Amino acid sequence: GRFVISLSATMSILIGDTAPNFEADTTVGHINFYDWAQDNWVVLFSHPADFTPVCTTELGTVAQLQTEFEKLNCQTIALSTDTLESHHNWIPDIEEWSNASVTYPIIADAQQEVAKLYGMIAPNAKGSEMGKLTVRTVFIIDPFKKVRWTISYPPATGRNFAEIIRCIKGLQLTDERKVATPADWKEGDDVVILPNIPNDEAETLFPGFDTFKPYLRTTNLQ
């Protein structure tokens, strides 16, 4: 039988891809994404719509966590397909709920240009109003503009930003120390030595490491 492949205008951004550059109007002015990001880590996250309950709590939580993101050399930037005027009118509600200032930019993507570039629209997702709204997509982008982590939540489920921060810490640890983070890892827990590190080098880097299997070696960096 015949089948038809439907080509979407929305791109799919995968881990390891270069994050596409773009220009956009935001609540802190017009930006070129790469210029704005500079050599920092970035969390780019979309929300379905302004003046909605879950989104208000999410953007408020990010405002509360700005100090934590700054410690990780990480900038945050939000996006929805609402207008700039709508964003500015909504910010006081976010700040009232969170008791924190929204100092990070919110992209006004009324024409869905960035949303389509990053694959943030899921036309069949319940609550997305037939593809008119972005779902809760998150990208962690490193200083080399590589996508290192991505996840999408449905419109009705708020994100766990503590998990996003945990993942940034894990990614940075892997880059700095030749280790990986095991299931449910949190800061201070044992880590896994990368499999491509031979034992003699591992003994130099991580004296007294534990071996469960030849491919599963753990150590504590504290």
Side-chain angles (χ1 to χ4, degrees), residues 79-98:
L79 175 149
S80 80
T81 57
D82 296 284
T83 65
L84 195 58
E85 181 182 12
S86 175
H87 288 341
H88 281 301
N89 290 338
W90 180 40
I91 284 175
D93 291 358
I94 301 170
E95 295 182 331
E96 181 181 358
W97 180 87
S98 63

Side-chain angles (χ1 to χ4, degrees), residues 49-71:
D50 296 354
F51 296 101
T52 53
V54 176
C55 299
T56 301
T57 65
E58 287 191 322
L59 272 74
T61 298
V62 173
Q64 292 170 338
L65 291 170
Q66 281 304 293
T67 299
E68 294 303 309
F69 284 113
E70 288 169 5
K71 289 177 183 176

